[in-house]
């Protein structure tokens, strides 16, 4: 039961187990109607200005200062190398910082529900970190987390090392390597509680990049755009081969206008939250790793992208 705007709404929790195929059918139904899923729902609205700054405003003064230092460095270095298409501080804040901050709640909620008793000291890897998004922002907002920024390009690693030093982040290490190689390195393989990836590759490729790095009982979180159902469906085999299963799809992690439904599948819950901003809907796809990844994965560098599972 939820109270919203003085009215009470029920969020239906299905007691019928859902197969992956049934889950996809439910998700596909949401395309034609925001309220077409088999659950009662509610809507709420708020000004975009309030929501776009809400997570940033929750940071303390030191963390806010670190975010601003990061943005200043990003825009300065972006003049000499291609780090982001965004040119203005306000747009970096709205499109990148808020988007990165919005991943924290799904990580914490999923981890506490399925992986461990605390989410305060996670060991997390940001695969294909690029300009440090979301990894640097996660490290700022969650100083108890140990964050590894995995990036294969020298120039980007130089920027990451500079910005980590500039900000003073003692909980971050930069690792220059391909994900396929790190996943076969015994020092890193299956050593992370959480792997995250944002704007790197399609889901079936990401599964092979990221899940070999995640310990059994850990989670992989992929930040995606709107309407991920076909991509998720194509990735089903790859996710299972890596020893994992789909846990949640959380759509609209940048919240403006919200529609929520809830269901359950053998104790694992999934949420569909439809939202809209001027930059489009955002989605978090969350996978729970239930068993070790076979030793043959990840395959040789370049193979996952050329021949996806």
């Amino acid at each position: 039961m939820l109270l919203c705007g003085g009215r009470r709404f029920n969020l239906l929790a299905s007691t019928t187990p859902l197969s992956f195929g049934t889950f996809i059918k439910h998700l596909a139904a949401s395309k034609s109607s925001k309220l077409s899923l088999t659950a009662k729902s509610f809507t709420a609205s708020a000004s975009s200005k309030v929501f776009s700054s809400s997570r940033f405003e929750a940071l303390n003064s030191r963390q806010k200062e670190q975010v601003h230092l990061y943005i200043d460095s990003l825009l300065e270095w972006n003049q000499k190398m291609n780090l982001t298409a965004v040119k203005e501080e306000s747009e970096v804040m709205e499109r990148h910082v808020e988007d990165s901050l919005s991943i924290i709640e799904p990580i914490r909620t999923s981890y506490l529900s399925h992986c461990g008793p605390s989410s305060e000291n996670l060991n997390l890897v940001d695969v294909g970190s690029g300009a440090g998004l979301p990894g640097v922002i996660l490290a700022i907002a969650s100083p108890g987390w140990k964050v590894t920024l995995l990036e294969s390009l020298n120039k980007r690693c130089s920027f990451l090392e500079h910005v980590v030093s500039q900000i003073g982040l003692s909980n971050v290490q930069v690792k220059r390597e391909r994900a396929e190689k790190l996943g076969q390195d015994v020092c890193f393989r299956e050593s992370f509680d959480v792997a995250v990836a944002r704007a790197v590759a399609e889901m079936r490729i990401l599964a092979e990049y990221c899940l070999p790095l995640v310990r059994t009982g850990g989670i992989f979180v992929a930040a995606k755009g709107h309407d991920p159902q076909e991509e998720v469906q194509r990735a089903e085999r790859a996710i299972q081969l890596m020893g994992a299963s789909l846990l949640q799809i959380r759509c609209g992690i940048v919240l403006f206008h919200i529609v929520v439904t809830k269901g359950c599948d053998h104790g694992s819950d999934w949420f569909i939250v439809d939202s809209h901003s001027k930059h489009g809907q955002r989605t978090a796809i969350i996978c729970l790793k239930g068993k070790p990844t076979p030793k043959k994965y990840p395959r040789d560098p370049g193979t996952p992208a050329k021949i996806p599972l």
Side-chain angles (χ1 to χ4, degrees):
M1 186 72 70
L2 180 72
L3 184 64
C4 180
R7 298 175 61 192
R8 293 183 182 275
F9 300 85
N10 286 316
L11 298 181
L12 179 62
S14 170
T15 57
T16 303
L18 297 177
S19 66
F20 187 91
T22 302
F23 170 80
I24 289 296
K25 290 178 182 177
H26 278 276
L27 181 60
S30 68
K31 288 183 68 177
S32 59
S33 172
K34 297 182 181 67
L35 303 177
S36 62
L37 294 167
T38 57
K40 294 182 180 179
S41 58
F42 72 91
T43 59
S45 63
S47 71
S48 60
K49 289 184 178 180
V50 173
F51 274 106
S52 67
S53 63
S54 61
R55 297 177 182 87
F56 176 76
E57 291 304 322
L59 302 178
N60 62 40
S61 59
R62 172 59 178 157
Q63 290 170 324
K64 290 177 182 177
E65 179 185 357
Q66 289 176 314
V67 170
H68 284 300
L69 285 172
Y70 167 76
I71 294 174
D72 289 344
S73 293
L74 175 64
L75 293 177
E76 178 184 351
W77 279 61
N78 200 47
Q79 295 177 17
K80 54 185 178 182
M81 67 172 64
N82 182 26
L83 292 170
T84 176
V86 176
K87 307 297 183 183
E88 300 296 330
E89 180 177 359
S90 60
E91 199 172 1
V92 173
M93 182 69 73
E94 186 174 359
R95 294 190 63 173
H96 292 323
V97 174
E98 280 292 321
D99 195 42
S100 297
L101 289 173
S102 67
I103 300 173
I104 295 175
E105 189 275 333
I107 291 174
R108 289 189 181 276
T109 300
S110 300
Y111 194 88
L112 288 172
S113 297
H114 303 280
C115 307
S118 173
S119 62
E120 295 305 313
N121 298 289
L122 299 182
N123 187 13
L124 179 146
V125 59
D126 177 14
V127 177
S129 188
L133 298 162
V136 170
I137 303 302
L138 300 183
I140 291 172
S142 302
W145 293 4
K146 180 182 176 182
V147 176
T148 297
L149 306 177
L150 176 59
E151 173 55 48
S152 63
L153 297 181
N154 278 325
K155 289 184 178 180
R156 290 178 181 173
C157 285
S158 296
F159 166 72
L160 293 174
E161 289 166 350
H162 165 80
V163 80
V164 166
S165 175
Q166 181 82 1
I167 294 173
L169 292 175
S170 60
N171 60 330
V172 175
Q173 68 167 330
V174 178
K175 183 67 177 176
R176 189 189 69 80
E177 188 57 274
R178 292 188 66 113
E180 302 98 320
K181 286 191 174 182
L182 204 71
Q184 292 290 359
D185 187 327
V186 294
C187 294
F188 294 92
R189 182 180 176 86
E190 298 191 323
S191 66
F192 295 96
D193 300 310
V194 180
V196 299
R198 177 179 182 267
V200 176
E202 67 167 293
M203 191 67 190
R204 57 182 173 163
I205 300 171
L206 282 180
E208 190 170 357
Y209 285 167
C210 297
L211 282 165
L213 295 167
V214 177
R215 67 170 178 84
T216 300
I219 57 173
F220 160 44
V221 180
K224 291 290 183 178
H226 74 288
D227 195 16
Q229 66 218 34
E230 292 183 5
E231 183 176 348
V232 172
Q233 194 167 22
R234 287 196 304 269
E236 177 185 2
R237 178 172 178 267
I239 292 169
Q240 293 176 347
L241 285 173
M242 297 304 116
S245 59
L246 184 71
L247 179 62
Q248 296 180 12
I249 289 186
R250 293 184 63 121
C251 306
I253 48 181
V254 179
L255 300 177
F256 292 98
H257 301 286
I258 315 165
V259 176
V260 179
T261 63
K262 181 177 179 181
C264 68
D265 181 6
H266 298 291
S268 298
D269 52 7
W270 52 268
F271 300 83
I272 296 182
V273 184
D274 187 30
S275 77
H276 302 275
S277 76
K278 66 180 182 180
H279 302 300
Q281 179 177 287
R282 302 299 299 160
T283 307
I285 302 171
I286 305 173
C287 299
L288 175 65
K289 186 166 180 178
K291 58 184 179 181
T293 300
K295 291 183 178 180
K296 63 181 178 179
Y297 300 115
R299 294 168 292 169
D300 292 338
T303 304
K306 292 178 182 177
I307 311 172
L309 294 169

